[in-house]
Amino acid sequence: MVKQCIKLLKKPLANTYNKSLESVIFPDKLKIAKVVPLYKTGDTRDVQNYRQIVLLSVFLKLLEKLMYNRLMAFVEVNGVLTEALNGFRTKKSTETALHIFIQNTQEAIEKIINPTGIFLDLTKTYGVLNHKVLLSKLNSSGIRGVTNLWFEWL
């Protein structure tokens, strides 16, 4: 339905989003979300075997996409991210990371070097991520001022 009304919504949404980014105020109405448990594996009666899926409003998703595009443009232009990072970047994925790993392993074997791999299970990493540390990392990467303060409100 939003797509059908986009011509009418585009200007008010752009104004709302720009005011949010300029004033460092995240609209309270956009903070409302529905949390749905999603079963992973194991005993269905064990709460630990579920992960939370947060269903956000379409308008919040649009605001997130706007901020994501701005942040990615900044980090790409300023070289904030290392080339080794593959997870969420354009034209990179877990498959490209695996390809690089295999290629490096093959080169090491050819040079008669014993390749070593360390594999970590980071399944619950985002659940324990310290927000203050993340804000500090953003600041040290050049994402400061109003933009950094805006993320504090999330």
Side-chain angles (χ1 to χ4, degrees), residues 102-130:
I102 291 169
Q103 186 177 5
N104 289 343
T105 302
Q106 288 172 335
E107 288 174 10
I109 291 169
E110 288 170 8
K111 294 178 182 175
I112 312 173
I113 299 172
N114 292 328
T116 303
I118 299 174
F119 302 91
L120 304 171
D121 180 6
L122 302 176
T123 307
K124 298 181 182 181
T125 303
Y126 294 106
V128 296
L129 184 64
N130 185 316

CSV table of all heavy atoms in Angstrom, one decimal, residues 102-130:
chain,number,residue,atom,x,y,z
A,102,ILE,N,40.0,-20.1,0.8
A,102,ILE,CA,40.4,-21.2,0.1
A,102,ILE,C,41.6,-20.9,-0.8
A,102,ILE,O,42.6,-21.6,-0.8
A,102,ILE,CB,39.3,-21.8,-0.8
A,102,ILE,CG1,38.2,-22.4,0.1
A,102,ILE,CG2,39.8,-22.8,-1.8
A,102,ILE,CD1,37.0,-22.8,-0.6
A,103,GLN,N,41.6,-19.7,-1.4
A,103,GLN,CA,42.7,-19.3,-2.2
A,103,GLN,C,44.0,-19.1,-1.4
A,103,GLN,O,45.1,-19.6,-1.8
A,103,GLN,CB,42.3,-18.0,-2.9
A,103,GLN,CG,43.4,-17.5,-3.9
A,103,GLN,CD,42.9,-16.2,-4.6
A,103,GLN,OE1,41.8,-15.7,-4.3
A,103,GLN,NE2,43.7,-15.8,-5.6
A,104,ASN,N,43.9,-18.4,-0.3
A,104,ASN,CA,45.0,-18.2,0.6
A,104,ASN,C,45.5,-19.6,1.2
A,104,ASN,O,46.8,-19.7,1.3
A,104,ASN,CB,44.6,-17.3,1.8
A,104,ASN,CG,44.4,-15.9,1.3
A,104,ASN,OD1,44.8,-15.5,0.3
A,104,ASN,ND2,43.8,-15.1,2.2
A,105,THR,N,44.7,-20.5,1.5
A,105,THR,CA,45.1,-21.8,2.0
A,105,THR,C,45.8,-22.5,0.9
A,105,THR,O,46.9,-23.1,1.2
A,105,THR,CB,43.8,-22.6,2.4
A,105,THR,OG1,43.1,-21.9,3.4
A,105,THR,CG2,44.2,-24.0,3.0
A,106,GLN,N,45.3,-22.5,-0.3
A,106,GLN,CA,46.0,-23.2,-1.4
A,106,GLN,C,47.4,-22.6,-1.7
A,106,GLN,O,48.4,-23.3,-1.9
A,106,GLN,CB,45.2,-23.1,-2.7
A,106,GLN,CG,44.0,-24.0,-2.7
A,106,GLN,CD,43.0,-23.8,-3.9
A,106,GLN,OE1,43.0,-22.8,-4.5
A,106,GLN,NE2,42.3,-24.8,-4.2
A,107,GLU,N,47.5,-21.3,-1.6
A,107,GLU,CA,48.8,-20.6,-1.8
A,107,GLU,C,49.8,-21.0,-0.7
A,107,GLU,O,51.0,-21.2,-1.0
A,107,GLU,CB,48.6,-19.1,-1.9
A,107,GLU,CG,48.0,-18.6,-3.1
A,107,GLU,CD,47.7,-17.1,-3.1
A,107,GLU,OE1,48.1,-16.4,-2.1
A,107,GLU,OE2,46.9,-16.6,-4.0
A,108,ALA,N,49.3,-21.1,0.5
A,108,ALA,CA,50.2,-21.5,1.6
A,108,ALA,C,50.7,-22.9,1.5
A,108,ALA,O,51.8,-23.2,1.7
A,108,ALA,CB,49.4,-21.3,3.0
A,109,ILE,N,49.8,-23.8,1.0
A,109,ILE,CA,50.2,-25.2,0.8
A,109,ILE,C,51.2,-25.3,-0.3
A,109,ILE,O,52.2,-26.0,-0.2
A,109,ILE,CB,49.0,-26.1,0.5
A,109,ILE,CG1,48.1,-26.2,1.8
A,109,ILE,CG2,49.4,-27.4,0.0
A,109,ILE,CD1,46.7,-26.8,1.5
A,110,GLU,N,51.0,-24.5,-1.4
A,110,GLU,CA,52.0,-24.5,-2.5
A,110,GLU,C,53.4,-24.0,-2.0
A,110,GLU,O,54.4,-24.5,-2.5
A,110,GLU,CB,51.5,-23.7,-3.6
A,110,GLU,CG,50.3,-24.3,-4.4
A,110,GLU,CD,49.6,-23.4,-5.4
A,110,GLU,OE1,50.2,-22.2,-5.6
A,110,GLU,OE2,48.6,-23.7,-5.9
A,111,LYS,N,53.4,-23.1,-1.1
A,111,LYS,CA,54.7,-22.5,-0.6
A,111,LYS,C,55.2,-23.4,0.6
A,111,LYS,O,56.1,-22.9,1.3
A,111,LYS,CB,54.5,-21.1,-0.1
A,111,LYS,CG,54.1,-20.1,-1.3
A,111,LYS,CD,53.9,-18.7,-0.7
A,111,LYS,CE,53.5,-17.8,-1.9
A,111,LYS,NZ,53.1,-16.5,-1.4
A,112,ILE,N,54.6,-24.5,0.8
A,112,ILE,CA,54.9,-25.4,1.9
A,112,ILE,C,54.9,-24.7,3.3
A,112,ILE,O,55.8,-24.8,4.1
A,112,ILE,CB,56.3,-26.1,1.7
A,112,ILE,CG1,56.3,-26.6,0.2
A,112,ILE,CG2,56.6,-27.2,2.7
A,112,ILE,CD1,57.7,-27.2,-0.2
A,113,ILE,N,53.9,-23.9,3.5
A,113,ILE,CA,53.6,-23.3,4.7
A,113,ILE,C,52.4,-24.0,5.3
A,113,ILE,O,51.4,-24.2,4.6
A,113,ILE,CB,53.3,-21.8,4.5
A,113,ILE,CG1,54.5,-21.1,3.9
A,113,ILE,CG2,52.9,-21.1,5.9
A,113,ILE,CD1,54.2,-19.6,3.5
A,114,ASN,N,52.4,-24.3,6.6
A,114,ASN,CA,51.2,-24.9,7.2
A,114,ASN,C,50.1,-23.9,7.5
A,114,ASN,O,50.3,-23.0,8.4
A,114,ASN,CB,51.6,-25.6,8.5
A,114,ASN,CG,52.5,-26.8,8.3
A,114,ASN,OD1,52.4,-27.4,7.3
A,114,ASN,ND2,53.4,-27.0,9.3
A,115,PRO,N,49.1,-23.9,6.7
A,115,PRO,CA,48.0,-22.9,6.9
A,115,PRO,C,47.2,-23.3,8.2
A,115,PRO,O,47.1,-24.4,8.5
A,115,PRO,CB,47.1,-23.1,5.7
A,115,PRO,CG,47.4,-24.4,5.2
A,115,PRO,CD,48.8,-24.8,5.6
A,116,THR,N,46.8,-22.2,8.9
A,116,THR,CA,46.0,-22.4,10.1
A,116,THR,C,44.8,-21.6,10.0
A,116,THR,O,44.8,-20.5,9.5
A,116,THR,CB,46.9,-21.9,11.3
A,116,THR,OG1,48.1,-22.7,11.4
A,116,THR,CG2,46.1,-22.2,12.6
A,117,GLY,N,43.7,-22.2,10.4
A,117,GLY,CA,42.4,-21.4,10.5
A,117,GLY,C,41.8,-21.4,11.8
A,117,GLY,O,41.9,-22.4,12.6
A,118,ILE,N,41.2,-20.3,12.2
A,118,ILE,CA,40.5,-20.2,13.5
A,118,ILE,C,39.1,-19.9,13.1
A,118,ILE,O,38.8,-18.9,12.5
A,118,ILE,CB,41.1,-19.1,14.4
A,118,ILE,CG1,42.6,-19.4,14.7
A,118,ILE,CG2,40.3,-18.9,15.6
A,118,ILE,CD1,43.3,-18.3,15.4
A,119,PHE,N,38.2,-20.7,13.6
A,119,PHE,CA,36.8,-20.5,13.3
A,119,PHE,C,36.0,-20.3,14.6
A,119,PHE,O,36.1,-21.0,15.5
A,119,PHE,CB,36.2,-21.8,12.6
A,119,PHE,CG,37.0,-22.1,11.3
A,119,PHE,CD1,38.1,-22.9,11.3
A,119,PHE,CD2,36.6,-21.5,10.1
A,119,PHE,CE1,38.8,-23.2,10.2
A,119,PHE,CE2,37.3,-21.7,9.0
A,119,PHE,CZ,38.4,-22.6,9.0
A,120,LEU,N,35.3,-19.2,14.6
A,120,LEU,CA,34.6,-18.8,15.8
A,120,LEU,C,33.1,-18.8,15.6
A,120,LEU,O,32.6,-18.4,14.5
A,120,LEU,CB,35.0,-17.4,16.3
A,120,LEU,CG,36.5,-17.1,16.5
A,120,LEU,CD1,36.8,-15.7,16.7
A,120,LEU,CD2,37.0,-17.9,17.7
A,121,ASP,N,32.3,-19.2,16.6
A,121,ASP,CA,30.9,-19.2,16.5
A,121,ASP,C,30.4,-17.9,17.1
A,121,ASP,O,30.5,-17.7,18.3
A,121,ASP,CB,30.3,-20.4,17.3
A,121,ASP,CG,28.8,-20.4,17.2
A,121,ASP,OD1,28.2,-19.5,16.5
A,121,ASP,OD2,28.2,-21.2,17.9
A,122,LEU,N,30.0,-17.0,16.2
A,122,LEU,CA,29.6,-15.6,16.7
A,122,LEU,C,28.1,-15.5,16.6
A,122,LEU,O,27.5,-14.4,16.4
A,122,LEU,CB,30.2,-14.6,15.8
A,122,LEU,CG,31.8,-14.6,15.8
A,122,LEU,CD1,32.3,-13.5,14.8
A,122,LEU,CD2,32.3,-14.3,17.2
A,123,THR,N,27.4,-16.6,16.9
A,123,THR,CA,25.9,-16.7,16.8
A,123,THR,C,25.2,-15.6,17.6
A,123,THR,O,24.3,-14.9,17.1
A,123,THR,CB,25.4,-18.0,17.3
A,123,THR,OG1,26.1,-19.0,16.6
A,123,THR,CG2,23.9,-18.2,17.1
A,124,LYS,N,25.6,-15.3,18.8
A,124,LYS,CA,24.9,-14.3,19.6
A,124,LYS,C,25.7,-13.0,19.8
A,124,LYS,O,25.5,-12.3,20.8
A,124,LYS,CB,24.6,-15.0,21.0
A,124,LYS,CG,23.7,-16.2,20.8
A,124,LYS,CD,23.4,-16.9,22.1
A,124,LYS,CE,22.5,-18.1,21.9
A,124,LYS,NZ,22.1,-18.8,23.1
A,125,THR,N,26.6,-12.7,18.9
A,125,THR,CA,27.4,-11.5,19.1
A,125,THR,C,26.6,-10.3,19.2
A,125,THR,O,26.9,-9.4,20.1
A,125,THR,CB,28.3,-11.4,17.8
A,125,THR,OG1,29.1,-12.6,17.7
A,125,THR,CG2,29.2,-10.2,18.0
A,126,TYR,N,25.6,-10.1,18.4
A,126,TYR,CA,24.8,-8.8,18.4
A,126,TYR,C,24.0,-8.6,19.7
A,126,TYR,O,23.7,-7.5,20.0
A,126,TYR,CB,24.0,-8.7,17.1
A,126,TYR,CG,24.9,-8.5,15.9
A,126,TYR,CD1,25.0,-9.6,15.0
A,126,TYR,CD2,25.6,-7.4,15.7
A,126,TYR,CE1,25.8,-9.5,13.9
A,126,TYR,CE2,26.4,-7.2,14.6
A,126,TYR,CZ,26.5,-8.3,13.7
A,126,TYR,OH,27.3,-8.2,12.6
A,127,GLY,N,23.7,-9.7,20.3
A,127,GLY,CA,22.9,-9.7,21.5
A,127,GLY,C,23.7,-9.1,22.7
A,127,GLY,O,23.2,-8.6,23.7
A,128,VAL,N,25.1,-9.2,22.6
A,128,VAL,CA,25.9,-8.7,23.7
A,128,VAL,C,26.8,-7.5,23.3
A,128,VAL,O,27.7,-7.1,24.0
A,128,VAL,CB,26.8,-9.8,24.2
A,128,VAL,CG1,26.0,-11.0,24.8
A,128,VAL,CG2,27.7,-10.4,23.1
A,129,LEU,N,26.5,-7.0,22.1
A,129,LEU,CA,27.3,-5.8,21.6
A,129,LEU,C,27.1,-4.6,22.6
A,129,LEU,O,25.9,-4.2,22.8
A,129,LEU,CB,26.8,-5.5,20.2
A,129,LEU,CG,27.6,-4.4,19.5
A,129,LEU,CD1,29.1,-4.8,19.3
A,129,LEU,CD2,27.0,-4.1,18.2
A,130,ASN,N,28.1,-4.0,23.0
A,130,ASN,CA,28.1,-2.8,23.9
A,130,ASN,C,27.8,-1.6,23.1
A,130,ASN,O,28.6,-1.2,22.2
A,130,ASN,CB,29.4,-2.7,24.7
A,130,ASN,CG,29.3,-1.6,25.7
A,130,ASN,OD1,28.9,-0.5,25.5
A,130,ASN,ND2,29.8,-1.9,26.9
